[in-house]
Amino acid sequence: MSDVYDVIVIGAGPAGYPAAIRAGQNKLKVACVDEWQNTDGSYAFGGTCLNAGCIPSKALLESSELFQRAKDEFAVHGIKIGALTLDLAAMQKRRASVVKTMTNGINALFKANGVVGIQGHGRLLPGNKVLVKGTAGEKTLEAKHVILASGSTPIRLRSVPHDGKYIVDSWNALEFDAVPARLGVIGAGVIGLELGSVWRRLGSEVVVLEALEQFLPMVDQTIAKEAQRHFKKQGLDIKLGAKVASAAVSGDAVDVVYTDSTGEHSLQVDKLVVAVGRRPFTEGLLADGTGVQLDERGFVKVDEHCRTSAPNVWAVGDVVRGPMLAHKGKEEGVMVADLIAGHYGEVNYKVIPSVIYTQPEIAWVGQTEEQVKASGRPYKTGTFPFAASGRARAMEAGAGMAKIVSAKDDDEVLGVHVIGPMAGELISEAVLAMEYSASTEDIQRTIHAHPTLSEAIHEAALAVDKKAIDALNR
């Protein structure tokens, strides 16, 4: 006798667990199946984001930034603390505690919203049935609707054999029990820069090997160039156009061979992190005959409302097209759960913010200046440096700028880009403005409290029309 539900969600990461919770809020009978296991063998909800990605990395970024500030900045504030020492074990214990608190919170939320959480591997069978393989054996569930939210997994390079000790992925790199004297990172994307920043602050010599010739090509290039300058100043050795040919463990080190425009080079590091992106995780997800189709890159094919090619089967998050961002997956999960319940649901894919949690932070939403220029639409831009912000100066955080790209014809805000203190928080104002198709003038006429970091957005909007008050208009 199979258990019958209104909705079964396969995956309890940042796309799956919100879908399950919203379905529960919509008074549907819901089960959420997830197979995540930590290194100690324990099951946990939350997927990569909570267990081995977003949350633990931000915990270490925060701790390492405080360490760096205590070492290099506190004296400027008149705070003298004497000899500074690092207790990495305590720092890692705090990271693990933050993760455990967050993942336990999902258990509580499931219980409060009537969601049945099931630990084990979920496999979609024909007829909207789900085979669950867990510690208690196998069980078949059945549902009117199934939501696939199996997430993604790190891409591994054939020429760089992963061993989990010396050559590692992003999860391994969050759990080092000692600071590597020499750290190599393959990939200068979001994950590579964040992990490189953590260990550089704690004392590693960090070399980042990026195959592309352009730094952060997805970022507005005014912001990317500013970021590259600051990262170099911080000691991150970022080599562009560096294609890794091979890597091999040699004793207690890793020998890396890479090529660039000047030829072949060798490099030896104590640890090598492979951070070249992620791919959709569909291993064992689909049985034959389900009718769910994958595209040429392995993503589940869906329409704009995340419906798959199979009736009443949906897919959300990293396993489908679009940016691999937790908040994008969350909104897709909520949308699908509402649509299943007969409510309105939509995701505005044009205004999904992105954040890189380095120091300074980088955040953006909408189109870059390069994209607008390529479209042929007449545009105008305005920038404001945080060096001219009283609040940023008071925080010893005057690096970076805010930039706005707007249309010349109707003044619509097309893109907002920030590098500076708390950029990930500041970008929310821009997301809200663009959600309502705001004009530059709308932001100009919105009163911002003084002194705040958010004034940088206000001043950048004024600068678009050469009306900035606290900076030169150029």
Side-chain angles (χ1 to χ4, degrees), residues 345-359:
E346 183 182 22
V347 173
N348 185 351
Y349 289 96
K350 293 182 179 179
V351 290
I352 298 175
S354 296
V355 185
I356 305 176
Y357 295 89
T358 47
Q359 179 57 35

Side-chain angles (χ1 to χ4, degrees), residues 350-354 363-368 413-418 427-432 434:
K350 293 182 179 179
V351 290
I352 298 175
S354 296
W364 68 96
V365 62
Q367 299 178 76
T368 64
V413 177
L414 303 177
V416 179
H417 312 272
V418 184
I427 203 66
S428 293
E429 174 185 359
V431 176
L432 183 62
M434 292 177 65

Side-chain angles (χ1 to χ4, degrees), residues 9-23:
V9 183
I10 300 179
Y17 85 77
I21 289 172
R22 176 52 60 88

